[in-house]
Amino acid sequence: MLLAFPFACVGAARGALLPPRNPAHALRLDEHIQTDCTGVHDVSATCVDESVAMLNAGRRNEGLGPLLLPRNWARLTTPEQIFVLTELERTARGLQPDTGLAADWNTAARAGADAGSDPTSSGSGARGFLAIWAGGQQNPVIAMVGWIYDDAEFPDHSSDTINCSGASSSGCWGHRDAILRDTQATACGNRCAVGAGYSPEGFSATGPGQGRESYSEVFGIGAADNPDRLMFRWTSELRQLPSCERAGDSCSWNGRPLVTATGAIDVRGLRQHASLVAPWFQWHLYWHASSDGAVTVSIAVALGLRSMAVTATQGATAVALHVSRRPGDVFVATGRLGQGQWTLHVGYGTPALDGPAPVSTETVRVP
């Protein structure tokens, strides 16, 4: 599955079985690159909040409560973080959590992450396995967004998922189905060992801004009473979770990071209700300001837009510029501003189907 985070990719899941009640459509949120997430591995507080905001949009769409990360999130290894996210997605839906990560299952998952593809083996103690992979995402939260909420067709019947478009639907919700497996065929009783893997160099995409991060998971089929040594246990991690996460899906939405129709809210480092959605398409902006305050801004975009709005701000002063459209998807904004430094806020009128409209900013100085 190709994602619109720069050159991110999710592979086709192996052997996935269908759990009940998948969404009707994929949630188109992964395309919106967040302004404070870099193109490579990013575990900064703001980027993690932005990533959780996208995942929470998927949860809100399904009528679930928000995701709250454990207190020790920053101290967990990336495979441990993948495992914790998996179990939080399972327990939010009332599914039994897996018991923990086993050393040989982690080894199998890491081999897939290193190769940049679905793992091709598993640990011991199971009759079979399911495997999933993702590459290029800045952190495992974003990878989980792709696996759980963006793994099928969009409302317009397009899809970023391999084998899930047009006449073929075999790959729809495959990654999600593996994570949320809950059938007799995949049941593992009361000792459910799984594996999670991460490689900082496993994704082979090349080019500017491309992350090489690679993530994978392996789940056992019929892995009851797995004999492997568990190196990370869900029951031990529970004490790190807020009480509302330990009591099922009962956490409040108040103050939680969330992507809304106008952008992301409640993200650290950003003023309340400010939009974080940056253009996921190419754009070029040129401006000129004269000594009499006349300002001209030319913006070329690599996407057919419905409209564009440009506002200049200086402290509490805001001036809306007049925008006209030119041939070749070029917009020209004109106006008159006072002396000094101004911030241009460009709003891109993308189709409503694409979700929150992106915004970019540019600093201009009037002589």
Side-chain angles (χ1 to χ4, degrees), residues 101-140:
L101 295 172
D104 59 342
W105 285 77
N106 268 16
T107 299
R110 175 62 192 262
D114 286 339
S117 62
D118 292 333
T120 57
S121 64
S122 69
S124 61
R127 296 193 303 271
F129 68 93
L130 306 173
I132 60 176
W133 170 83
Q137 293 82 0
Q138 294 95 324
N139 57 58

PDB file of all heavy atoms in Angstrom, residues 101-140:
ATOM      1  N   LEU A 101       5.862 -10.252  23.689  1.00  0.00           N
ATOM      2  CA  LEU A 101       6.824 -10.454  22.618  1.00  0.00           C
ATOM      3  C   LEU A 101       7.776 -11.585  23.012  1.00  0.00           C
ATOM      4  O   LEU A 101       8.309 -11.599  24.129  1.00  0.00           O
ATOM      5  CB  LEU A 101       7.633  -9.179  22.364  1.00  0.00           C
ATOM      6  CG  LEU A 101       6.863  -7.965  21.850  1.00  0.00           C
ATOM      7  CD1 LEU A 101       7.768  -6.737  21.837  1.00  0.00           C
ATOM      8  CD2 LEU A 101       6.307  -8.227  20.454  1.00  0.00           C
ATOM      9  N   ALA A 102       7.981 -12.526  22.103  1.00  0.00           N
ATOM     10  CA  ALA A 102       8.924 -13.624  22.330  1.00  0.00           C
ATOM     11  C   ALA A 102      10.167 -13.397  21.486  1.00  0.00           C
ATOM     12  O   ALA A 102      10.091 -12.862  20.368  1.00  0.00           O
ATOM     13  CB  ALA A 102       8.279 -14.961  21.979  1.00  0.00           C
ATOM     14  N   ALA A 103      11.303 -13.825  21.998  1.00  0.00           N
ATOM     15  CA  ALA A 103      12.582 -13.531  21.355  1.00  0.00           C
ATOM     16  C   ALA A 103      12.655 -14.076  19.936  1.00  0.00           C
ATOM     17  O   ALA A 103      13.059 -13.368  19.005  1.00  0.00           O
ATOM     18  CB  ALA A 103      13.728 -14.096  22.205  1.00  0.00           C
ATOM     19  N   ASP A 104      12.265 -15.364  19.725  1.00  0.00           N
ATOM     20  CA  ASP A 104      12.392 -15.917  18.376  1.00  0.00           C
ATOM     21  C   ASP A 104      11.353 -15.338  17.422  1.00  0.00           C
ATOM     22  O   ASP A 104      11.602 -15.212  16.222  1.00  0.00           O
ATOM     23  CB  ASP A 104      12.332 -17.448  18.402  1.00  0.00           C
ATOM     24  CG  ASP A 104      11.048 -17.996  18.990  1.00  0.00           C
ATOM     25  OD1 ASP A 104      10.347 -17.242  19.676  1.00  0.00           O
ATOM     26  OD2 ASP A 104      10.756 -19.191  18.763  1.00  0.00           O
ATOM     27  N   TRP A 105      10.182 -14.943  17.922  1.00  0.00           N
ATOM     28  CA  TRP A 105       9.197 -14.276  17.080  1.00  0.00           C
ATOM     29  C   TRP A 105       9.689 -12.880  16.687  1.00  0.00           C
ATOM     30  O   TRP A 105       9.475 -12.429  15.560  1.00  0.00           O
ATOM     31  CB  TRP A 105       7.847 -14.202  17.794  1.00  0.00           C
ATOM     32  CG  TRP A 105       7.144 -15.516  17.807  1.00  0.00           C
ATOM     33  CD1 TRP A 105       7.418 -16.586  18.614  1.00  0.00           C
ATOM     34  CD2 TRP A 105       6.068 -15.920  16.962  1.00  0.00           C
ATOM     35  NE1 TRP A 105       6.575 -17.629  18.326  1.00  0.00           N
ATOM     36  CE2 TRP A 105       5.733 -17.246  17.317  1.00  0.00           C
ATOM     37  CE3 TRP A 105       5.348 -15.286  15.960  1.00  0.00           C
ATOM     38  CZ2 TRP A 105       4.720 -17.956  16.695  1.00  0.00           C
ATOM     39  CZ3 TRP A 105       4.322 -15.987  15.341  1.00  0.00           C
ATOM     40  CH2 TRP A 105       4.023 -17.303  15.695  1.00  0.00           C
ATOM     41  N   ASN A 106      10.347 -12.183  17.614  1.00  0.00           N
ATOM     42  CA  ASN A 106      10.928 -10.881  17.275  1.00  0.00           C
ATOM     43  C   ASN A 106      12.015 -11.032  16.214  1.00  0.00           C
ATOM     44  O   ASN A 106      12.160 -10.192  15.326  1.00  0.00           O
ATOM     45  CB  ASN A 106      11.524 -10.226  18.523  1.00  0.00           C
ATOM     46  CG  ASN A 106      10.530  -9.315  19.227  1.00  0.00           C
ATOM     47  OD1 ASN A 106       9.329  -9.379  18.978  1.00  0.00           O
ATOM     48  ND2 ASN A 106      11.029  -8.472  20.114  1.00  0.00           N
ATOM     49  N   THR A 107      12.801 -12.091  16.303  1.00  0.00           N
ATOM     50  CA  THR A 107      13.845 -12.337  15.309  1.00  0.00           C
ATOM     51  C   THR A 107      13.242 -12.513  13.924  1.00  0.00           C
ATOM     52  O   THR A 107      13.744 -11.975  12.927  1.00  0.00           O
ATOM     53  CB  THR A 107      14.666 -13.575  15.691  1.00  0.00           C
ATOM     54  OG1 THR A 107      15.304 -13.353  16.952  1.00  0.00           O
ATOM     55  CG2 THR A 107      15.728 -13.875  14.646  1.00  0.00           C
ATOM     56  N   ALA A 108      12.144 -13.256  13.848  1.00  0.00           N
ATOM     57  CA  ALA A 108      11.470 -13.461  12.561  1.00  0.00           C
ATOM     58  C   ALA A 108      10.924 -12.142  12.019  1.00  0.00           C
ATOM     59  O   ALA A 108      11.023 -11.854  10.822  1.00  0.00           O
ATOM     60  CB  ALA A 108      10.349 -14.480  12.727  1.00  0.00           C
ATOM     61  N   ALA A 109      10.341 -11.327  12.911  1.00  0.00           N
ATOM     62  CA  ALA A 109       9.802 -10.039  12.474  1.00  0.00           C
ATOM     63  C   ALA A 109      10.918  -9.106  12.021  1.00  0.00           C
ATOM     64  O   ALA A 109      10.777  -8.397  11.017  1.00  0.00           O
ATOM     65  CB  ALA A 109       9.002  -9.405  13.609  1.00  0.00           C
ATOM     66  N   ARG A 110      12.036  -9.091  12.737  1.00  0.00           N
ATOM     67  CA  ARG A 110      13.149  -8.219  12.375  1.00  0.00           C
ATOM     68  C   ARG A 110      13.711  -8.585  11.006  1.00  0.00           C
ATOM     69  O   ARG A 110      14.112  -7.708  10.235  1.00  0.00           O
ATOM     70  CB  ARG A 110      14.250  -8.303  13.436  1.00  0.00           C
ATOM     71  CG  ARG A 110      15.518  -7.518  13.088  1.00  0.00           C
ATOM     72  CD  ARG A 110      15.259  -6.020  12.953  1.00  0.00           C
ATOM     73  NE  ARG A 110      16.373  -5.319  12.370  1.00  0.00           N
ATOM     74  CZ  ARG A 110      17.300  -4.652  13.083  1.00  0.00           C
ATOM     75  NH1 ARG A 110      17.210  -4.631  14.409  1.00  0.00           N
ATOM     76  NH2 ARG A 110      18.283  -4.024  12.485  1.00  0.00           N
ATOM     77  N   ALA A 111      13.709  -9.882  10.667  1.00  0.00           N
ATOM     78  CA  ALA A 111      14.187 -10.298   9.345  1.00  0.00           C
ATOM     79  C   ALA A 111      13.332  -9.665   8.251  1.00  0.00           C
ATOM     80  O   ALA A 111      13.841  -9.237   7.208  1.00  0.00           O
ATOM     81  CB  ALA A 111      14.174 -11.820   9.235  1.00  0.00           C
ATOM     82  N   GLY A 112      12.016  -9.599   8.475  1.00  0.00           N
ATOM     83  CA  GLY A 112      11.153  -8.945   7.500  1.00  0.00           C
ATOM     84  C   GLY A 112      11.410  -7.452   7.427  1.00  0.00           C
ATOM     85  O   GLY A 112      11.453  -6.875   6.332  1.00  0.00           O
ATOM     86  N   ALA A 113      11.602  -6.816   8.578  1.00  0.00           N
ATOM     87  CA  ALA A 113      11.885  -5.379   8.589  1.00  0.00           C
ATOM     88  C   ALA A 113      13.199  -5.080   7.888  1.00  0.00           C
ATOM     89  O   ALA A 113      13.313  -4.099   7.140  1.00  0.00           O
ATOM     90  CB  ALA A 113      11.918  -4.872  10.034  1.00  0.00           C
ATOM     91  N   ASP A 114      14.215  -5.909   8.117  1.00  0.00           N
ATOM     92  CA  ASP A 114      15.506  -5.715   7.449  1.00  0.00           C
ATOM     93  C   ASP A 114      15.384  -5.862   5.942  1.00  0.00           C
ATOM     94  O   ASP A 114      16.043  -5.151   5.173  1.00  0.00           O
ATOM     95  CB  ASP A 114      16.529  -6.720   7.974  1.00  0.00           C
ATOM     96  CG  ASP A 114      17.021  -6.397   9.375  1.00  0.00           C
ATOM     97  OD1 ASP A 114      16.892  -5.230   9.798  1.00  0.00           O
ATOM     98  OD2 ASP A 114      17.527  -7.316  10.051  1.00  0.00           O
ATOM     99  N   ALA A 115      14.521  -6.791   5.502  1.00  0.00           N
ATOM    100  CA  ALA A 115      14.354  -7.049   4.069  1.00  0.00           C
ATOM    101  C   ALA A 115      13.383  -6.085   3.412  1.00  0.00           C
ATOM    102  O   ALA A 115      13.282  -6.032   2.185  1.00  0.00           O
ATOM    103  CB  ALA A 115      13.880  -8.486   3.857  1.00  0.00           C
ATOM    104  N   GLY A 116      12.639  -5.307   4.206  1.00  0.00           N
ATOM    105  CA  GLY A 116      11.655  -4.396   3.650  1.00  0.00           C
ATOM    106  C   GLY A 116      10.478  -5.110   3.034  1.00  0.00           C
ATOM    107  O   GLY A 116       9.963  -4.699   1.991  1.00  0.00           O
ATOM    108  N   SER A 117      10.014  -6.192   3.689  1.00  0.00           N
ATOM    109  CA  SER A 117       8.886  -6.952   3.157  1.00  0.00           C
ATOM    110  C   SER A 117       8.249  -7.745   4.284  1.00  0.00           C
ATOM    111  O   SER A 117       8.773  -7.800   5.400  1.00  0.00           O
ATOM    112  CB  SER A 117       9.350  -7.912   2.053  1.00  0.00           C
ATOM    113  OG  SER A 117      10.266  -8.850   2.572  1.00  0.00           O
ATOM    114  N   ASP A 118       7.106  -8.372   3.987  1.00  0.00           N
ATOM    115  CA  ASP A 118       6.458  -9.205   4.999  1.00  0.00           C
ATOM    116  C   ASP A 118       7.419 -10.269   5.511  1.00  0.00           C
ATOM    117  O   ASP A 118       8.120 -10.915   4.709  1.00  0.00           O
ATOM    118  CB  ASP A 118       5.244  -9.914   4.399  1.00  0.00           C
ATOM    119  CG  ASP A 118       4.122  -8.960   4.046  1.00  0.00           C
ATOM    120  OD1 ASP A 118       4.035  -7.898   4.677  1.00  0.00           O
ATOM    121  OD2 ASP A 118       3.336  -9.289   3.142  1.00  0.00           O
ATOM    122  N   PRO A 119       7.485 -10.503   6.799  1.00  0.00           N
ATOM    123  CA  PRO A 119       8.292 -11.616   7.321  1.00  0.00           C
ATOM    124  C   PRO A 119       7.844 -12.935   6.701  1.00  0.00           C
ATOM    125  O   PRO A 119       6.657 -13.156   6.448  1.00  0.00           O
ATOM    126  CB  PRO A 119       8.000 -11.585   8.831  1.00  0.00           C
ATOM    127  CG  PRO A 119       7.636 -10.150   9.106  1.00  0.00           C
ATOM    128  CD  PRO A 119       6.883  -9.702   7.885  1.00  0.00           C
ATOM    129  N   THR A 120       8.796 -13.827   6.456  1.00  0.00           N
ATOM    130  CA  THR A 120       8.493 -15.093   5.786  1.00  0.00           C
ATOM    131  C   THR A 120       8.607 -16.287   6.722  1.00  0.00           C
ATOM    132  O   THR A 120       8.523 -17.434   6.273  1.00  0.00           O
ATOM    133  CB  THR A 120       9.436 -15.302   4.591  1.00  0.00           C
ATOM    134  OG1 THR A 120      10.798 -15.251   5.056  1.00  0.00           O
ATOM    135  CG2 THR A 120       9.227 -14.211   3.547  1.00  0.00           C
ATOM    136  N   SER A 121       8.829 -16.046   8.009  1.00  0.00           N
ATOM    137  CA  SER A 121       8.896 -17.127   8.985  1.00  0.00           C
ATOM    138  C   SER A 121       8.345 -16.618  10.296  1.00  0.00           C
ATOM    139  O   SER A 121       7.995 -15.436  10.439  1.00  0.00           O
ATOM    140  CB  SER A 121      10.340 -17.622   9.155  1.00  0.00           C
ATOM    141  OG  SER A 121      11.143 -16.575   9.694  1.00  0.00           O
ATOM    142  N   SER A 122       8.268 -17.505  11.296  1.00  0.00           N
ATOM    143  CA  SER A 122       7.749 -17.114  12.600  1.00  0.00           C
ATOM    144  C   SER A 122       8.578 -17.763  13.686  1.00  0.00           C
ATOM    145  O   SER A 122       9.536 -18.494  13.410  1.00  0.00           O
ATOM    146  CB  SER A 122       6.284 -17.557  12.735  1.00  0.00           C
ATOM    147  OG  SER A 122       6.219 -18.978  12.801  1.00  0.00           O
ATOM    148  N   GLY A 123       8.186 -17.532  14.930  1.00  0.00           N
ATOM    149  CA  GLY A 123       8.788 -18.235  16.039  1.00  0.00           C
ATOM    150  C   GLY A 123       8.154 -19.611  16.193  1.00  0.00           C
ATOM    151  O   GLY A 123       7.359 -20.048  15.354  1.00  0.00           O
ATOM    152  N   SER A 124       8.486 -20.281  17.266  1.00  0.00           N
ATOM    153  CA  SER A 124       7.974 -21.633  17.482  1.00  0.00           C
ATOM    154  C   SER A 124       6.669 -21.595  18.256  1.00  0.00           C
ATOM    155  O   SER A 124       6.273 -20.576  18.802  1.00  0.00           O
ATOM    156  CB  SER A 124       9.010 -22.452  18.253  1.00  0.00           C
ATOM    157  OG  SER A 124       9.261 -21.850  19.519  1.00  0.00           O
ATOM    158  N   GLY A 125       5.979 -22.756  18.278  1.00  0.00           N
ATOM    159  CA  GLY A 125       4.802 -22.907  19.108  1.00  0.00           C
ATOM    160  C   GLY A 125       3.489 -22.576  18.451  1.00  0.00           C
ATOM    161  O   GLY A 125       2.489 -22.392  19.128  1.00  0.00           O
ATOM    162  N   ALA A 126       3.440 -22.474  17.132  1.00  0.00           N
ATOM    163  CA  ALA A 126       2.187 -22.154  16.447  1.00  0.00           C
ATOM    164  C   ALA A 126       2.030 -23.024  15.209  1.00  0.00           C
ATOM    165  O   ALA A 126       3.012 -23.526  14.656  1.00  0.00           O
ATOM    166  CB  ALA A 126       2.149 -20.682  16.058  1.00  0.00           C
ATOM    167  N   ARG A 127       0.800 -23.214  14.753  1.00  0.00           N
ATOM    168  CA  ARG A 127       0.531 -24.003  13.554  1.00  0.00           C
ATOM    169  C   ARG A 127       0.752 -23.195  12.276  1.00  0.00           C
ATOM    170  O   ARG A 127       0.861 -23.756  11.199  1.00  0.00           O
ATOM    171  CB  ARG A 127      -0.910 -24.513  13.590  1.00  0.00           C
ATOM    172  CG  ARG A 127      -1.200 -25.474  14.717  1.00  0.00           C
ATOM    173  CD  ARG A 127      -2.530 -26.182  14.495  1.00  0.00           C
ATOM    174  NE  ARG A 127      -3.634 -25.242  14.357  1.00  0.00           N
ATOM    175  CZ  ARG A 127      -4.346 -24.776  15.387  1.00  0.00           C
ATOM    176  NH1 ARG A 127      -4.037 -25.154  16.614  1.00  0.00           N
ATOM    177  NH2 ARG A 127      -5.355 -23.957  15.196  1.00  0.00           N
ATOM    178  N   GLY A 128       0.776 -21.902  12.398  1.00  0.00           N
ATOM    179  CA  GLY A 128       0.983 -21.034  11.248  1.00  0.00           C
ATOM    180  C   GLY A 128       1.154 -19.607  11.725  1.00  0.00           C
ATOM    181  O   GLY A 128       1.243 -19.351  12.925  1.00  0.00           O
ATOM    182  N   PHE A 129       1.196 -18.660  10.787  1.00  0.00           N
ATOM    183  CA  PHE A 129       1.397 -17.280  11.196  1.00  0.00           C
ATOM    184  C   PHE A 129       0.821 -16.319  10.169  1.00  0.00           C
ATOM    185  O   PHE A 129       0.605 -16.671   9.004  1.00  0.00           O
ATOM    186  CB  PHE A 129       2.885 -16.988  11.401  1.00  0.00           C
ATOM    187  CG  PHE A 129       3.711 -17.017  10.131  1.00  0.00           C
ATOM    188  CD1 PHE A 129       3.949 -15.851   9.402  1.00  0.00           C
ATOM    189  CD2 PHE A 129       4.251 -18.207   9.660  1.00  0.00           C
ATOM    190  CE1 PHE A 129       4.701 -15.873   8.243  1.00  0.00           C
ATOM    191  CE2 PHE A 129       5.002 -18.241   8.500  1.00  0.00           C
ATOM    192  CZ  PHE A 129       5.242 -17.072   7.791  1.00  0.00           C
ATOM    193  N   LEU A 130       0.566 -15.102  10.624  1.00  0.00           N
ATOM    194  CA  LEU A 130       0.190 -13.970   9.780  1.00  0.00           C
ATOM    195  C   LEU A 130       1.302 -12.940   9.893  1.00  0.00           C
ATOM    196  O   LEU A 130       1.875 -12.752  10.966  1.00  0.00           O
ATOM    197  CB  LEU A 130      -1.125 -13.352  10.247  1.00  0.00           C
ATOM    198  CG  LEU A 130      -2.321 -14.288  10.394  1.00  0.00           C
ATOM    199  CD1 LEU A 130      -3.494 -13.542  11.024  1.00  0.00           C
ATOM    200  CD2 LEU A 130      -2.721 -14.862   9.051  1.00  0.00           C
ATOM    201  N   ALA A 131       1.627 -12.246   8.798  1.00  0.00           N
ATOM    202  CA  ALA A 131       2.723 -11.286   8.814  1.00  0.00           C
ATOM    203  C   ALA A 131       2.329 -10.012   8.082  1.00  0.00           C
ATOM    204  O   ALA A 131       1.648 -10.059   7.056  1.00  0.00           O
ATOM    205  CB  ALA A 131       3.970 -11.899   8.166  1.00  0.00           C
ATOM    206  N   ILE A 132       2.752  -8.873   8.611  1.00  0.00           N
ATOM    207  CA  ILE A 132       2.489  -7.575   7.984  1.00  0.00           C
ATOM    208  C   ILE A 132       3.758  -6.738   8.014  1.00  0.00           C
ATOM    209  O   ILE A 132       4.664  -6.969   8.825  1.00  0.00           O
ATOM    210  CB  ILE A 132       1.331  -6.822   8.673  1.00  0.00           C
ATOM    211  CG1 ILE A 132       1.651  -6.557  10.155  1.00  0.00           C
ATOM    212  CG2 ILE A 132       0.029  -7.590   8.525  1.00  0.00           C
ATOM    213  CD1 ILE A 132       0.599  -5.727  10.866  1.00  0.00           C
ATOM    214  N   TRP A 133       3.810  -5.742   7.114  1.00  0.00           N
ATOM    215  CA  TRP A 133       5.001  -4.882   7.005  1.00  0.00           C
ATOM    216  C   TRP A 133       4.577  -3.485   6.580  1.00  0.00           C
ATOM    217  O   TRP A 133       3.556  -3.300   5.904  1.00  0.00           O
ATOM    218  CB  TRP A 133       5.972  -5.469   5.984  1.00  0.00           C
ATOM    219  CG  TRP A 133       7.092  -4.523   5.636  1.00  0.00           C
ATOM    220  CD1 TRP A 133       8.241  -4.321   6.326  1.00  0.00           C
ATOM    221  CD2 TRP A 133       7.137  -3.643   4.502  1.00  0.00           C
ATOM    222  NE1 TRP A 133       9.014  -3.362   5.702  1.00  0.00           N
ATOM    223  CE2 TRP A 133       8.357  -2.933   4.583  1.00  0.00           C
ATOM    224  CE3 TRP A 133       6.262  -3.385   3.442  1.00  0.00           C
ATOM    225  CZ2 TRP A 133       8.730  -1.985   3.632  1.00  0.00           C
ATOM    226  CZ3 TRP A 133       6.636  -2.435   2.502  1.00  0.00           C
ATOM    227  CH2 TRP A 133       7.858  -1.750   2.602  1.00  0.00           C
ATOM    228  N   ALA A 134       5.351  -2.484   6.964  1.00  0.00           N
ATOM    229  CA  ALA A 134       5.171  -1.105   6.498  1.00  0.00           C
ATOM    230  C   ALA A 134       6.534  -0.438   6.447  1.00  0.00           C
ATOM    231  O   ALA A 134       7.422  -0.753   7.252  1.00  0.00           O
ATOM    232  CB  ALA A 134       4.239  -0.332   7.422  1.00  0.00           C
ATOM    233  N   GLY A 135       6.722   0.504   5.536  1.00  0.00           N
ATOM    234  CA  GLY A 135       8.011   1.179   5.414  1.00  0.00           C
ATOM    235  C   GLY A 135       7.885   2.635   5.056  1.00  0.00           C
ATOM    236  O   GLY A 135       6.996   3.038   4.300  1.00  0.00           O
ATOM    237  N   GLY A 136       8.767   3.459   5.611  1.00  0.00           N
ATOM    238  CA  GLY A 136       8.855   4.873   5.270  1.00  0.00           C
ATOM    239  C   GLY A 136       8.156   5.810   6.211  1.00  0.00           C
ATOM    240  O   GLY A 136       8.313   7.019   6.108  1.00  0.00           O
ATOM    241  N   GLN A 137       7.363   5.298   7.153  1.00  0.00           N
ATOM    242  CA  GLN A 137       6.641   6.161   8.089  1.00  0.00           C
ATOM    243  C   GLN A 137       7.602   6.696   9.160  1.00  0.00           C
ATOM    244  O   GLN A 137       8.552   6.024   9.558  1.00  0.00           O
ATOM    245  CB  GLN A 137       5.490   5.392   8.752  1.00  0.00           C
ATOM    246  CG  GLN A 137       4.382   5.016   7.799  1.00  0.00           C
ATOM    247  CD  GLN A 137       4.677   3.759   7.015  1.00  0.00           C
ATOM    248  OE1 GLN A 137       5.721   3.138   7.172  1.00  0.00           O
ATOM    249  NE2 GLN A 137       3.744   3.368   6.161  1.00  0.00           N
ATOM    250  N   GLN A 138       7.310   7.907   9.655  1.00  0.00           N
ATOM    251  CA  GLN A 138       8.231   8.558  10.584  1.00  0.00           C
ATOM    252  C   GLN A 138       8.277   7.900  11.957  1.00  0.00           C
ATOM    253  O   GLN A 138       9.250   8.027  12.679  1.00  0.00           O
ATOM    254  CB  GLN A 138       7.859  10.039  10.752  1.00  0.00           C
ATOM    255  CG  GLN A 138       8.043  10.865   9.493  1.00  0.00           C
ATOM    256  CD  GLN A 138       6.761  10.987   8.688  1.00  0.00           C
ATOM    257  OE1 GLN A 138       5.967  10.060   8.607  1.00  0.00           O
ATOM    258  NE2 GLN A 138       6.556  12.141   8.072  1.00  0.00           N
ATOM    259  N   ASN A 139       7.242   7.193  12.345  1.00  0.00           N
ATOM    260  CA  ASN A 139       7.223   6.524  13.642  1.00  0.00           C
ATOM    261  C   ASN A 139       6.152   5.425  13.591  1.00  0.00           C
ATOM    262  O   ASN A 139       5.336   5.387  12.668  1.00  0.00           O
ATOM    263  CB  ASN A 139       6.962   7.516  14.786  1.00  0.00           C
ATOM    264  CG  ASN A 139       5.676   8.287  14.607  1.00  0.00           C
ATOM    265  OD1 ASN A 139       4.590   7.714  14.499  1.00  0.00           O
ATOM    266  ND2 ASN A 139       5.766   9.621  14.564  1.00  0.00           N
ATOM    267  N   PRO A 140       6.143   4.512  14.570  1.00  0.00           N
ATOM    268  CA  PRO A 140       5.192   3.394  14.504  1.00  0.00           C
ATOM    269  C   PRO A 140       3.729   3.795  14.635  1.00  0.00           C
ATOM    270  O   PRO A 140       2.851   3.040  14.215  1.00  0.00           O
ATOM    271  CB  PRO A 140       5.631   2.487  15.659  1.00  0.00           C
ATOM    272  CG  PRO A 140       6.461   3.331  16.546  1.00  0.00           C
ATOM    273  CD  PRO A 140       7.109   4.350  15.667  1.00  0.00           C
TER     274      PRO A 140
END
